[in-house]
């Protein structure tokens, strides 16, 4: 780990101002991802601003939405009755993430900001455009079992590691931020960006912009949501593929649908075309299979990860069938 | 007394559960400094330039050692199965990815780690040899010990050609890394020409001799200490580069040095199970009896040392087959040197052989257990010797009964549990009984306690506990009156804790030492006019609870405490030496077992979960049923891990290992191991194997386990996976 | 710099006071020192183990204000004022904590290196009031890898200690 200075504050505006003023400063919340990457020298901030004292730790149920403070820990969020009731997919995704110890430290805001598990990104001895723009992507022709089949570019085929973010897609979550230019609300689907030719950019946040909360609107749709994850190990492992799904059925027809996919793209992937294809039709195996087929339209494997394409299709069908039931 | 065999709690347990057991890296020494290794990032080439300026300038840095300034040491091995050629900063040649190329010493761990990341090394790369399948190999002189690497009995080609049923399949196993939870660690300190090393090792004496050779000093000048080791599984069976480099750094900076490998470095220079490509052919009659077995093993070694994965050794002796050929080929690659990993050979080899036996069972339409019974070897067909004892039939029947093998519907893909496919598989297990010379020292004191010393190791195996039990029983004192110490070259010599040989080797030495201490104490009493036993016959004596008495008149007796209280020194010391006799020429000695596994497979997602495992093992006399069961269960977890999880992934272009951490190199977590998971001890009395009647138990638990699971997966799905690990992409 | 931001500490060593097992420890450490290294290398409390230093094994599990976390992925300086419990602080003098006793009785360990983390994790599991059925124990103990493979005995130990607790 490179040396750095440390400071802390209980004021969000002070935190934002301090980080905004210093290109080499970063916010420090749970630290589980940032400190790990600092040990690998993938991250080397000169200043860490500890934001754990900021008043963003609560989870509060309002009339039309539940607000999860950005500093709420993953474990507390997963166990919170309002979250379990309003957005079961989010609670399930959190419980399927990491380990109890990591969930006790890691925060909701930090979960959205966590960086890819791509082995080439994390190994400074290898080529990675995300870590060093222009150096090349060693994963495309390398060991790419974990990598993206959708949304990748010639410069990057990493996958986003968050389970929760995939579930948030299924419940229309909104990310609330405070930055150097004030506050804003960003729909979760618009929060993360695709690599294109700038894989070093992963979200729409500006430097110094701080996540303060994640809001989940209360809806029947969200309350039906579920999260399903496939992995090699039975626990404590990132997803091979995952699905966050929600479905509402009225008069025998699908009235609304949400489909988020994980483990297959550089960002939490919303299968919008599949959602559209589901609306208005009767829930059936055929309809789910068609939605799955549409979801992987344009998908491309790189060798080791080819299996993810049939795998995610099957998981989509399974999870839609389970939410429809 | 029946202290031996009693399932007592670990005598070292309290220290482990209270955090007071001290592992190598936890040795506090005044003036301690921290060393961190810098490793190569290419697999082949030469160092063109080293830029250590930034590292040297960094705060707290005391020294940066590279090939340019490292002191001269001997990097070549001398002899012995566990000795290795080591890369010790003596030249600019890079032979594998993650080879040590520099060592940074600083006043704190943080500063040493940071400075290590600042060392810049430029390489001239050359084309690495990376392919096991396509590289050119050779037949080594030996596959294992004195065994020839090419072996044949009968005529395999003719027998196979004439066989009714033929199986000809190739099985592959990947590189696997041991990953004990405690990373390798060394604390080294010099006092003039005398070196003391606190090392995480499975063999204090092997480490001592390697250090003595490296520095050109007498072994007596080196002391190696290791009271606790946080798992080894073979990776700590050899002295590796980091141990010598720590001592080199300590000498260079003239202060004690601590060097602990980071987890990614555990994939570097401390050995691994080499990848294998194994062809097995089975020729059989229609009734399932084998007429021929061919087992060809291709495994990797490094370009600068030789290690042979002896996967075909068990094929020579497991079944009664008249015609057998085994061939080992090793392919030197630009990779680190492989090493022993829990049941080296038997684990990888049993996956191939026992998968093939399963394929044979389906081919002849027999129950896989029945096929094994029909080929049971009543004596060792390779050595043409009787077994010292063999209880494999009992293992099959106990295992089958406890597992519920009769539930199995023979046809593949015929059992379901809701939407999941159900499968059950079986495999045989065997592991040779090894033994080396060992010594122990027993000191009986006037407080009635015994202090026992042996230069052996406890890797979590239970050595502290069972040797305390052996000493207590021989002496006739409670286990709580025995203080057993190990892991120090100041103690009598013991062998490397590998090959499941520790109990057979050291246990017999402890037994001899304790018995002679008891006999000497008895002699003192019989010759002592102040003792009520004065003048009695030694044959009439019994000992219990620290009291020596006449067997026929228990009221007449004396205690160790009293006897030694009257002794001028107040204590007596007896040394016991034990070594193998000629039993090897008269008997073939092996432990045997049977493994049963039940899986659930999701037919759409290809995910496999083991829901039940039963192992039944016969390993001679069991000294502690509690710790023995734990050893077996641990071995079975390793088999599960081998079947479903473990694989080291090397980038085929760069030769760089890309999953060198425990998030990407998977081993089972608690959730992966079902509650329905049990090991049964099959009683076995072996009067031939060694005086204590013990066989090794540390390794047999993994043998056959991966095959049992793979066979269960076939039974569930109808898909035969011959390439480990079994992951979803191989089933969807 | 805004006034309501604390003073900048480091990168050089700075005073950091930690409360570990009820004892005050005044350390002088760089901000980059992890809680794990602070315990092992600076506070002379090596009972907490370093298995991976990457949050992938759980050997470094400690309780901070009663909650289990991996001490390798957090900085010591973040925990001034917190109540830190390590394996050394679990027993009451010679009297073992019931979870320690259960691990001993059920042989829930072999080499012992993951054991302090397992025990603290198990203590936290009970405090979290997780269900004590087999599946739940296995899931909520999955953040602690045991390479010796003592999982079955660990589950038995946790279940036994859990029963005592109720």
């Amino acid at each position: 780990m490179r040396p750095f200075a440390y400071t802390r504050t209980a004021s969000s505006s002070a935190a934002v101002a301090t980080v905004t003023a210093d290109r080499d400063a970063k916010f420090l919340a749970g630290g589980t991802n940032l400190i790990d990457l600092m040990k690998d020298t993938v991250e080397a901030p000169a200043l860490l601003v500890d934001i754990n004292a900021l008043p963003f730790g609560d989870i509060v149920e309002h009339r039309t939405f539940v607000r999860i403070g950005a500093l709420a820990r993953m474990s507390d969020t997963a166990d919170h009755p309002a979250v379990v009731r309003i957005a079961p997919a989010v609670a399930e995704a959190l419980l399927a993430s990491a380990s109890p110890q990591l969930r006790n430290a890691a925060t909701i805001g930090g979960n959205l900001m966590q960086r890819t598990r791509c082995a080439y990104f994390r190994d400074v001895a290898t080529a990675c455009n995300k870590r060093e723009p222009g150096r090349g992507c060693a994963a495309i022709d390398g060991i790419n079992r974990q990598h993206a089949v959708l949304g990748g570019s010639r410069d990057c085929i990493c996958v986003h590691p968050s389970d929760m973010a995939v579930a948030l897609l299924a419940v229309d979550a909104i990310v609330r931020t405070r930055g150097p230019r004030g506050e804003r609300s960003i729909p979760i689907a618009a929060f993360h960006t695709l690599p294109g030719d700038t894989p070093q950019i992963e979200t729409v946040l500006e430097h110094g912009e701080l996540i303060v909360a994640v809001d989940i609107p209360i809806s029947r749709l969200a309350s039906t949501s579920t999260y399903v994850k496939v992995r090699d190990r039975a626990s404590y492992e990132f997803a091979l593929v995952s699905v966050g799904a929600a479905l509402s059925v009225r008069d025998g027809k699908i009235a609304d649908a949400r489909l988020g996919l994980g483990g297959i793209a550089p960002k939490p992937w919303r299968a919008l075309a599949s959602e559209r294809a589901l609306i208005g039709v009767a829930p059936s195996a055929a309809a789910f299979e068609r939605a799955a087929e549409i979801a992987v339209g344009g998908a491309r494997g790189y060798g080791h990860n080819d299996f993810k394409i049939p795998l995610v299709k099957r998981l989509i069908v399974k999870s839609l069938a389970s939410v429809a039931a | 007394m029946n202290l031996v065999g009693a399932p007592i709690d670990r005598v070292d347990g309290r220290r482990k559960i209270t955090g007071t057991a001290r592992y190598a890296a936890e040795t506090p020494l005044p003036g301690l400094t921290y060393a961190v290794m810098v490793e190569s990032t290419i697999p082949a080439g030469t160092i063109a330039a080293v830029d250590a300026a930034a590292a040297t300038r960094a705060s707290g840095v005391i020294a940066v050692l590279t090939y340019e300034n490292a002191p001269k040491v001997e990097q070549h091995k001398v002899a012995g199965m566990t000795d290795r050629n080591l890369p010790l900063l003596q030249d600019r040649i890079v032979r594998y990815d993650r080879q040590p190329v520099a060592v940074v010493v600083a006043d704190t761990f943080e500063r040493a780690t940071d400075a290590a990341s600042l060392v810049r090394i430029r390489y001239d790369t050359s084309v690495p040899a990376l392919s096991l399948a396509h590289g050119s190999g050779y037949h080594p002189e030996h596959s294992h010990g004195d065994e020839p690497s090419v072996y044949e009995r009968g005529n395999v080609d003719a027998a196979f050609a004439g066989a009714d049923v033929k199986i000809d399949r190739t099985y592959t196993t990947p590189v696997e890394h041991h990953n004990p939870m405690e990373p390798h660690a060394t604390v080294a300190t010099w006092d003039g020409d005398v070196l003391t090393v606190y090392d995480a090792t499975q063999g204090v004496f092997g480490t001592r001799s390697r250090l003595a050779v490296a520095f050109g000093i007498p072994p007596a000048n080196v002391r190696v200490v290791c009271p606790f080791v946080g798992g080894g599984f073979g990776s700590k069976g050899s002295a590796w580069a980091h141990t010598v480099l720590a001592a080199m750094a300590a000498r260079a900076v003239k202060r004690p040095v601590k060097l602990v490998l980071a987890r990614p470095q555990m994939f570097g220079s401390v050995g691994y199970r080499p990848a294998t490509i194994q062809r097995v052919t089975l020729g059989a009659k229609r009734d399932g009896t084998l007429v021929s077995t061919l087992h060809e093993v291709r495994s990797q070694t490094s370009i600068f040392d030789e290690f042979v994965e002896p996967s075909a050794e068990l094929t020579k002796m497991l079944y009664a087959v008249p015609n057998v050929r085994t061939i080992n080929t090793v392919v030197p690659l630009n990779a680190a040197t492989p090493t022993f990993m829990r049941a080296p050979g038997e684990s990888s080899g049993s996956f191939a052989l026992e998968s093939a036996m399963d394929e044979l069972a389906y081919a002849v339409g027999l129950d896989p257990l029945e096929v094994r019974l029909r080929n049971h070897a009543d004596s060792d067909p390779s050595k043409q010797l009787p077994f010292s004892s063999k209880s494999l039939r009992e293992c099959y029947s106990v295992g089958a009964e406890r597992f519920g093998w009769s539930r199995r519907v023979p046809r593949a893909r015929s059992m379901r549990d809701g939407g999941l496919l159900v499968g059950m598989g079986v495999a045989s297990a065997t592991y040779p009984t090894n033994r080396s010379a060992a010594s122990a020292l027993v000191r009986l004191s006037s407080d009635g306690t015994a202090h026992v010393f042996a230069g052996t190791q406890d890797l979590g195996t239970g050595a502290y506990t069972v040797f305390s039990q052996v000493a207590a029983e021989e002496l006739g004192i409670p286990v709580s009156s025995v203080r057993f110490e190990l892991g120090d070259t100041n103690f009598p010599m013991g062998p490397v804790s590998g090959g499941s040989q520790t109990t057979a080797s050291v246990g017999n030495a402890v037994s001899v030492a304790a018995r002679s201490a008891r006999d000497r104490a008895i002699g003192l009493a019989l010759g002592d006019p102040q003792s009520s036993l004065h003048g009695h016959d030694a044959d009439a004596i019994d000992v219990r609870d620290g009291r020596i008495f006449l067997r026929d008149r228990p009221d007449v007796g004396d205690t160790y405490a009293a006897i030694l209280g009257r002794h001028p020194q107040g204590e007596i010391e007896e040394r016991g030496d034990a070594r193998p006799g000629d039993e090897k020429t008269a008997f073939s000695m092996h432990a045997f077992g049977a493994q049963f596994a039940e899986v659930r497979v999701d037919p759409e997602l290809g995910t496999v979960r083991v829901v039940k495992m039963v192992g039944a093992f016969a390993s001679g006399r069991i000294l502690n049923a509690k710790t023995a069961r734990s050893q077996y269960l641990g071995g079975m977890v390793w088999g599960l891990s081998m079947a479903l999880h473990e694989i080291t992934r090397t980038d085929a272009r760069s030769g760089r290992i890309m999953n060198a951490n425990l998030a990407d190199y998977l081993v089972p977590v608690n959730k992966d191991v079902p509650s329905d998971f049990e090991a049964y001890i099959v009683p076995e009395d072996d009067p031939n194997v060694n005086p204590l009647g013990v066989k090794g138990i540390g390794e047999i638990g993994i043998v056959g386990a991966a095959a049992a699971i793979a066979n269960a997966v076939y039974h569930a799905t109808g898909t035969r996976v011959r390439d480990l690990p079994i992951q979803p992409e191989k089933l969807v | 710099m805004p006034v309501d931001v604390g003073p900048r500490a480091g990168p050089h060593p700075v005073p950091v006071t930690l409360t570990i097992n009820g004892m005050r420890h005044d350390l002088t450490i760089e901000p980059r020192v992890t809680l794990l290294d602070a315990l092992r290398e600076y506070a002379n409390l090596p009972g907490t183990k370093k298995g991976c230093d990457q949050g992938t094994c759980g050997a470094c599990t400690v309780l901070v204000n009663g909650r289990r976390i991996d001490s390798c992925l957090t900085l010591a300086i973040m925990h001034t004022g917190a109540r830190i419990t390590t394996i050394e602080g679990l027993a009451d003098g010679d009297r073992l904590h019931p979870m320690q006793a259960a691990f001993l009785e059920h042989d829930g360990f072999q080499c012992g290196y993951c054991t302090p983390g397992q025990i603290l994790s198990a203590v936290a599991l009970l405090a979290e009031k997780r269900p004590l059925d087999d599946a739940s124990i296995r899931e909520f103990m999955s953040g602690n890898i045991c390479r010796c493979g003592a999982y079955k005995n660990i589950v038995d130990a946790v279940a036994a200690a859990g029963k005592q607790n109720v």
Side-chain angles (χ1 to χ4, degrees):
Chain A
M1 211 186 297
R2 302 307 337 270
F4 58 85
Y6 167 94
T7 187
R8 63 182 127 199
T9 177
S11 148
S12 63
S13 53
V16 167
T18 306
V19 172
T20 301
D22 184 345
R23 286 304 312 173
D24 295 323
K26 276 191 177 289
F27 299 116
L28 172 64
T32 52
N33 189 236
L34 178 59
I35 292 170
D36 191 24
L37 290 170
M38 287 166 67
K39 289 181 184 185
D40 290 335
T41 69
V42 171
E43 298 269 17
L47 173 66
L48 286 184
V49 178
D50 185 339
I51 57 169
N52 284 291
L54 266 48
F56 301 143
D58 292 340
I59 299 169
V60 180
E61 187 177 350
H62 298 268
R63 204 173 55 79
T64 58
F65 65 96
V66 59
R67 171 160 295 174
I68 305 169
L71 288 169
R73 307 292 147 165
M74 288 171 71
S75 52
D76 298 327
T77 309
D79 289 341
H80 198 282
V83 176
V84 172
R85 193 180 72 252
I86 293 161
V90 174
E92 291 161 18
L94 287 166
L95 276 180
S97 304
S99 72
Q101 294 92 313
L102 291 168
R103 297 196 293 266
N104 271 345
T107 64
I108 296 307
N111 184 283
L112 294 176
M113 297 304 292
Q114 70 182 307
R115 308 196 69 187
T116 182
R117 289 290 314 177
C118 173
Y120 297 95
F121 170 67
R122 299 172 69 92
D123 182 351
V124 296
T126 63
C128 172
N129 288 316
K130 183 187 282 295
R131 203 182 57 241
E132 287 176 69
R135 194 166 157 197
C137 170
I140 288 175
D141 295 317
I143 295 172
N144 49 43
R145 179 173 188 258
Q146 304 287 348
H147 288 74
V149 294
L150 283 166
S153 71
R154 284 168 47 197
D155 288 332
C156 181
I157 58 164
C158 80
V159 298
H160 195 273
S162 172
D163 292 298
M164 180 191 73
V166 175
L168 290 178
L169 285 172
V171 299
D172 291 332
I174 293 156
V175 183
R176 305 185 68 91
T177 71
R178 186 170 299 165
R181 291 188 288 173
E183 300 191 358
R184 59 174 172 157
S185 299
I186 306 162
I188 183 66
F191 184 81
H192 294 98
T193 56
L194 285 175
D197 55 7
T198 54
Q200 71 278 16
I201 299 169
E202 294 165 3
T203 71
V204 296
L205 295 191
E206 290 180 81
H207 180 71
E209 189 173 0
L210 179 67
I211 303 172
V212 299
V214 171
D215 289 350
I216 301 174
I218 297 173
S219 72
R220 259 208 35 218
L221 186 66
S223 70
T224 71
S225 65
T226 190
Y227 183 77
V228 204
K229 177 174 178 178
V230 176
R231 46 186 164 180
D232 296 301
R233 205 152 72 175
S235 187
Y236 199 5
E237 191 192 357
F238 292 91
L240 284 172
V241 303
S242 69
V243 173
L247 215 56
S248 68
V249 181
R250 205 173 310 134
D251 304 328
K253 298 254 168 66
I254 295 171
D256 208 351
R258 292 290 180 277
L259 195 56
L261 308 180
I264 53 137
K267 69 172 193 175
W269 189 262
R270 183 163 175 191
L272 209 51
S274 303
E275 293 175 6
R276 286 200 199 102
L278 286 166
I279 293 170
V281 304
S284 70
F288 299 154
E289 274 161 28
R290 186 158 159 265
E293 202 58 58
I294 291 169
V296 298
R300 171 192 168 185
Y302 292 84
H304 301 126
N305 66 349
D306 294 348
F307 74 102
K308 284 188 173 181
I309 298 171
L311 193 60
V312 76
K313 276 165 56 179
R314 292 168 184 196
L315 194 64
I316 290 169
V317 173
K318 268 195 175 222
S319 46
L320 287 174
S322 100
V323 281
Chain B
M1 276 195 280
N2 278 317
L3 298 177
V4 166
I8 66 166
D9 295 342
R10 286 169 196 268
V11 299
D12 55 330
R14 205 179 166 93
R15 281 182 280 176
K16 288 178 174 176
I17 57 173
T18 55
T20 51
R22 285 286 166 270
Y23 297 80
E26 297 157 6
T27 311
L29 289 177
L32 189 65
T33 64
Y34 294 79
V36 170
M37 292 194 312
V38 179
E39 298 175 326
S40 70
T41 55
I42 60 156
T46 54
I47 297 170
V50 177
D51 177 4
T56 308
R57 267 200 317 272
S59 54
V61 171
I62 303 165
V64 179
L65 299 176
T66 68
Y67 82 92
E68 291 174 343
N69 63 349
K72 293 298 148 221
V73 294
E74 177 56 63
Q75 26 183 22
H76 292 102
K77 62 183 176 186
V78 179
M81 279 224 322
T82 64
D83 211 356
R84 305 276 181 242
N85 292 328
L86 302 177
L88 299 173
L89 310 180
Q90 300 298 294
D91 56 47
R92 60 168 73 207
I93 304 169
V94 175
R95 298 168 176 90
Y96 62 95
D97 173 45
R98 299 174 194 270
Q99 173 185 318
V101 289
V103 174
V104 177
V105 188
D107 59 349
T108 70
F109 168 73
E110 293 75 25
R111 288 168 166 179
T113 305
D114 182 19
S117 76
L118 301 178
V119 176
R120 293 280 168 266
I121 295 179
R122 198 161 53 74
Y123 299 99
D124 289 331
T125 60
S126 46
V127 179
L130 297 172
S131 171
L132 173 63
H134 302 111
S136 66
Y138 66 96
H139 301 310
E141 195 180 342
H142 298 294
S143 54
H144 182 72
D146 296 330
E147 294 289 330
S149 69
V150 179
Y151 163 91
E152 179 149 15
R153 67 170 179 260
N155 185 332
V156 167
D157 294 338
F160 187 68
D164 298 336
V165 182
K166 294 175 183 162
I167 303 292
D168 185 348
R169 293 298 188 185
T170 297
Y171 305 87
T172 53
T173 62
V175 167
E176 297 163 356
H177 278 83
H178 310 71
N179 280 300
M181 294 317 297
E182 179 205 23
H184 290 58
T186 305
V187 173
T189 181
W190 290 85
D191 181 4
D193 235 11
V194 174
L195 170 65
T196 303
V197 161
Y198 304 85
D199 195 42
T201 178
Q202 292 172 234
V204 289
F205 283 94
T207 298
R208 180 176 80 158
S209 60
R210 194 62 180 79
L211 287 165
V213 166
F215 293 101
I217 54 178
N221 281 21
V222 183
R223 180 180 174 206
V224 179
V225 183
C226 178
F228 290 97
V229 56
F233 314 111
S235 72
K236 293 169 181 166
S238 302
W240 298 107
H242 69 274
T243 298
V244 184
L245 292 173
M248 179 197 284
R251 193 173 230 187
V253 303
K254 299 184 170 60
R255 283 169 68 177
V257 161
K258 180 197 301 203
L259 194 160
V260 184
L261 298 195
R263 182 55 58 177
Q265 295 179 322
M266 296 293 287
F267 294 77
S269 305
V270 292
Y272 58 93
R273 195 195 301 284
T276 69
I277 301 172
Q278 304 179 56
R279 179 176 171 225
V280 176
T281 77
L282 302 177
K285 297 181 191 162
R286 296 230 175 277
D287 68 359
T289 53
L290 289 164
V291 297
S292 74
T293 305
L294 167 70
H295 195 163
E296 295 176 348
V297 184
R298 192 177 176 83
S299 66
Q300 70 191 98
T301 186
S302 69
I303 62 162
F304 60 99
D305 209 341
E306 182 181 284
F307 175 82
V308 188
E309 174 80 1
S311 305
E313 297 312 302
L314 82 168
T315 305
K316 296 174 181 171
M317 50 64 65
L318 186 52
Y319 296 112
V321 194
N323 306 287
V324 173
R325 182 159 76 234
T326 66
I327 304 174
N328 286 87
T329 304
V330 288
V331 181
L333 300 180
N334 283 99
T337 307
T339 196
F340 320 100
M341 180 161 160
R342 205 167 194 172
E346 284 78 11
S347 50
S348 51
S350 64
F351 167 65
L353 180 64
E354 289 299 287
S355 291
M357 287 297 284
D358 202 60
E359 303 208 38
L360 175 64
Y362 286 94
V364 297
L366 277 177
D367 184 302
L369 195 50
E370 177 61 24
V371 168
R372 286 170 172 83
L373 284 166
R374 288 191 185 182
N375 290 288
H376 185 269
D378 297 330
S379 62
D380 184 333
S382 64
K383 297 196 180 100
Q384 299 189 311
L385 289 174
F387 289 109
S388 61
S389 63
K390 179 173 180 179
S391 311
L392 180 56
R393 287 180 195 280
E394 291 79 2
C395 293
Y396 287 144
S397 63
V398 167
E401 205 242 320
R402 302 292 171 124
F403 178 79
W405 182 249
S406 58
R407 295 174 295 143
R408 180 177 176 273
V409 178
R411 201 160 47 81
R413 212 181 169 99
S414 60
M415 298 180 73
R416 278 187 174 262
D417 173 11
L420 300 177
L421 304 174
V422 174
M424 301 182 197
V426 65
S428 307
T430 185
Y431 193 81
T433 302
N434 298 308
R435 188 183 171 197
S436 300
S439 301
L441 186 77
V442 170
R443 184 185 299 150
L444 261 178
S445 302
S446 57
D447 62 1
T449 67
H451 202 158
V452 187
F453 307 87
T456 184
Q457 301 72 219
D458 188 331
L459 327 178
T461 47
Y464 271 113
T465 309
V466 297
F467 296 152
S468 298
Q469 289 174 271
V470 169
E473 174 153 304
E474 295 288 3
L475 288 165
I477 59 176
V479 175
S480 59
S481 295
V482 176
R483 197 164 123 224
F484 190 87
E485 285 196 67
L486 49 69
D488 194 328
T489 51
N490 281 353
F491 301 157
M493 177 137 36
V496 63
S497 291
S500 297
Q501 68 169 344
T502 301
T503 303
S505 307
V506 181
N508 282 299
V510 171
S511 170
V512 170
R515 204 172 320 128
S516 52
R518 177 197 62 192
D519 290 349
R520 192 163 151 213
I522 292 171
L524 287 174
L526 301 183
D528 181 353
Q530 291 183 57
S531 173
S532 53
L533 294 170
H534 180 70
H536 283 283
D537 185 355
D539 291 342
I541 298 290
D542 220 341
V543 191
R544 193 174 303 152
D545 287 333
R547 186 167 169 277
I548 300 174
F549 57 91
L550 293 179
R551 197 172 301 116
D552 297 335
R553 288 183 53 201
D555 57 308
V556 178
D558 204 348
T559 64
Y560 283 131
I563 296 164
L564 295 168
R566 297 190 299 267
H567 190 263
Q569 269 87 52
E571 60 182 31
I572 56 171
E573 259 184 23
E574 285 293 322
R575 187 186 157 100
D577 303 303
R579 60 187 63 253
D582 57 3
E583 60 272 5
K584 234 182 176 161
T585 59
F587 298 102
S588 174
M589 298 175 290
H590 293 260
F592 290 92
Q595 305 265 15
F596 295 83
E598 180 176 343
V599 299
R600 294 285 183 280
V601 183
D602 186 311
E604 290 156 87
L605 306 177
T607 45
V608 178
R609 299 290 178 242
V610 175
V611 299
K612 178 171 190 153
M613 268 186 98
V614 166
F617 306 98
S619 305
R621 188 180 183 198
I622 295 302
L623 300 186
N624 182 321
K626 182 180 268 190
T627 55
R629 171 176 171 269
S630 293
Q631 283 270 283
Y632 289 143
L633 291 174
M636 289 162 63
V637 172
W638 271 62
L640 186 158
S641 187
M642 185 178 179
L644 302 182
H645 296 311
E646 290 185 52
I647 175 170
T648 299
R649 297 183 190 273
T650 301
D651 188 308
R653 304 158 302 176
S654 65
R656 187 153 175 85
I657 293 171
M658 291 310 303
N659 63 338
N661 62 71
L662 291 176
D664 298 316
Y665 183 92
L666 299 181
V667 298
V669 295
N670 204 316
K671 187 85 175 286
D672 289 298
V673 176
S675 52
D676 217 347
F677 195 86
E678 196 50 85
Y680 293 96
I681 293 168
V682 173
E684 185 176 69
D685 179 26
D686 189 331
N688 306 310
V689 68
N690 53 54
L692 274 181
V694 299
K695 299 176 178 176
I697 57 172
E699 290 168 274
I700 191 170
I702 183 178
V703 182
I709 292 167
N711 295 342
V713 168
Y714 176 79
H715 181 238
T717 62
T719 301
R720 179 69 65 180
V721 180
R722 301 186 183 88
D723 175 42
L724 292 182
I726 302 166
Q727 290 180 313
E729 58 262 50
K730 296 175 186 173
L731 293 171
V732 293
Chain C
M1 152 115 27
V3 287
D4 37 8
V5 173
R8 288 194 185 186
H12 52 274
V14 293
V16 171
T17 298
L18 298 177
T19 307
I20 310 165
N21 304 325
M23 301 261 292
R24 181 189 159 110
H25 291 255
D26 294 308
L27 310 176
T28 304
I29 53 176
E30 293 177 329
R32 61 179 162 177
V33 174
T34 63
L35 178 57
L36 173 59
D37 288 322
L39 294 170
R40 283 175 67 82
E41 307 296 340
Y42 297 90
N44 192 27
L45 290 167
T48 306
K49 302 304 180 199
K50 182 184 280 192
C52 71
D53 217 15
Q54 298 180 305
T56 61
C57 80
C60 66
T61 303
V62 298
L63 307 184
V64 174
N65 296 329
R67 290 162 63 101
R68 49 174 159 167
I69 64 166
D70 289 340
S71 62
C72 71
L73 290 186
T74 193
L75 304 173
I77 198 170
M78 295 165 71
H79 299 286
T80 54
R83 208 159 29 82
I84 299 160
T85 307
T86 72
I87 192 70
E88 290 94 341
L90 218 49
D92 178 10
D94 275 348
R95 233 187 50 236
L96 294 176
H97 185 282
M99 189 62 74
Q100 290 173 313
F103 267 70
L104 185 59
E105 186 191 338
H106 292 273
D107 210 31
F109 57 93
Q110 292 177 34
C111 81
Y113 199 79
C114 74
T115 311
Q118 299 275 5
I119 290 174
L120 284 160
S121 203
V123 168
L125 182 152
L126 296 189
E128 290 160 12
K129 306 223 179 305
R130 301 289 172 197
L132 291 176
D133 60 278
D134 190 81
S136 166
I137 293 174
R138 290 194 288 129
E139 171 65 41
F140 287 98
M141 287 302 290
S142 279
N144 294 83
I145 291 179
C146 169
R147 184 57 159 159
C148 294
Y151 292 129
K152 185 186 170 73
N153 292 353
I154 290 168
V155 172
D156 289 347
V158 176
K163 272 191 204 115
Q164 270 179 47
N165 232 31
V166 190

